Amino acid sequence: MSDYEQYADVTFERVGDSFQVAAMHPDLRLHGIGRSAAVFRLKEKNRVIKVFFPGYEQIATEEAAIYKKLKGLPYFPKCYESGASYIVMDYIEGKTLFECLTEGVWIDPSYIEVVDEALRQARLLGLTPSDVHLRNIILTPNGQIFLIDLARFRQGQQIDHQWEDLKRMYRLYRYRFMPKQYDESLLNRIAYLYRKFVNDPDS
């Protein structure tokens, strides 16, 4: 057995249109649940394991291949291992840019430049960055920027313009008179309307 395969033995149960964790290894701590997978912090290790829900396992292979292509670039977590339904990566401590907005933490223009450079480097490697949004960009305590949740960086897929649209909104954010802290429910409503009427990455 591999170093991490035992941790991927997670039991999920479907509740409506989503999944919940029913059982997991005692050394895991649930870190978050997304649309296709749950992320767990590994006890006493600075790593996470992302375990994909039933029916979404193929994304593990796709995302592992993307991390392999991006290996060595300083903007993305390192992938240590992958299996049929999981990938193991660095745990990145920090706040997402979404959390920065809800907590009033200033988003510096240099962070936007770093994301642009990360996306440029990914494109040079033949990838097509997509679905780049505030929840998958992390600002670490020492001011580094990391991009996570890279399944939508597949080669040759349809390009979406979400990041460019966010940058247009950032131009307004930088004005002194604009608020620097926003209610989470408001941001969620804006994101929902944007996905529904402007840019749906699942379409």
Side-chain angles (χ1 to χ4, degrees):
M1 181 179 286
S2 67
D3 292 341
Y4 298 99
E5 189 175 356
Q6 60 178 320
Y7 300 116
D9 188 18
V10 176
T11 302
F12 296 107
E13 61 181 24
R14 183 181 286 275
V15 179
D17 294 330
S18 60
F19 286 90
Q20 290 185 353
V21 177
M24 63 185 184
H25 193 285
D27 287 347
L28 296 182
R29 187 177 72 204
L30 182 62
H31 187 65
I33 295 182
R35 289 179 290 182
S36 60
V39 177
F40 304 88
R41 182 88 182 268
L42 288 159
K43 186 179 180 181
E44 299 178 355
K45 291 181 182 289
N46 207 29
R47 296 176 187 177
V48 296
I49 181 168
K50 185 174 183 179
V51 184
F52 290 82
F53 303 141
Y56 293 86
E57 295 92 347
Q58 78 284 354
I59 301 178
T61 303
E62 295 172 356
E63 193 162 347
I66 291 166
Y67 276 107
K68 185 176 181 180
K69 260 189 173 297
L70 296 169
K71 183 178 179 181
L73 291 180
Y75 319 106
F76 309 97
K78 181 179 178 180
C79 180
Y80 295 92
E81 183 177 300
S82 63
S85 64
Y86 71 93
I87 54 176
V88 178
M89 304 165 290
D90 285 320
Y91 168 70
I92 307 298
E93 180 183 359
K95 298 179 185 296
T96 66
L97 294 193
F98 184 91
E99 290 171 326
C100 289
L101 278 183
T102 61
E103 297 176 20
V105 176
W106 166 247
I107 299 174
D108 193 81
S110 63
Y111 306 154
I112 309 302
E113 294 171 4
V114 171
V115 175
D116 277 338
E117 178 60 19
L119 299 180
R120 187 183 76 84
Q121 293 286 341
R123 292 187 188 101
L124 288 175
L125 293 170
L127 298 173
T128 309
S130 181
D131 197 26
V132 179
H133 55 76
L134 301 179
R135 280 193 169 95
N136 57 24
I137 303 170
I138 297 179
L139 171 65
T140 69
N142 64 359
Q144 287 182 279
I145 289 288
F146 283 88
L147 279 70
I148 61 170
D149 200 8
L150 308 181
R152 299 185 187 281
F153 275 44
R154 302 183 196 92
Q155 291 175 288
Q157 69 174 351
Q158 183 177 352
I159 298 173
D160 74 59
H161 303 283
Q162 186 167 212
W163 176 243
E164 294 304 318
D165 290 336
L166 284 168
K167 286 199 298 182
R168 292 186 186 95
M169 297 305 298
Y170 181 77
R171 293 176 195 145
L172 296 174
Y173 166 88
R174 291 181 63 178
Y175 284 117
R176 184 173 299 178
F177 63 82
M178 289 292 290
K180 301 299 179 279
Q181 184 171 7
Y182 296 84
D183 181 75
E184 181 176 352
S185 62
L186 172 63
L187 294 179
N188 285 333
R189 286 196 296 271
I190 292 171
Y192 169 78
L193 292 172
Y194 178 82
R195 287 194 303 269
K196 186 174 181 64
F197 297 107
V198 181
N199 188 66
D200 185 354
D202 288 325
S203 61

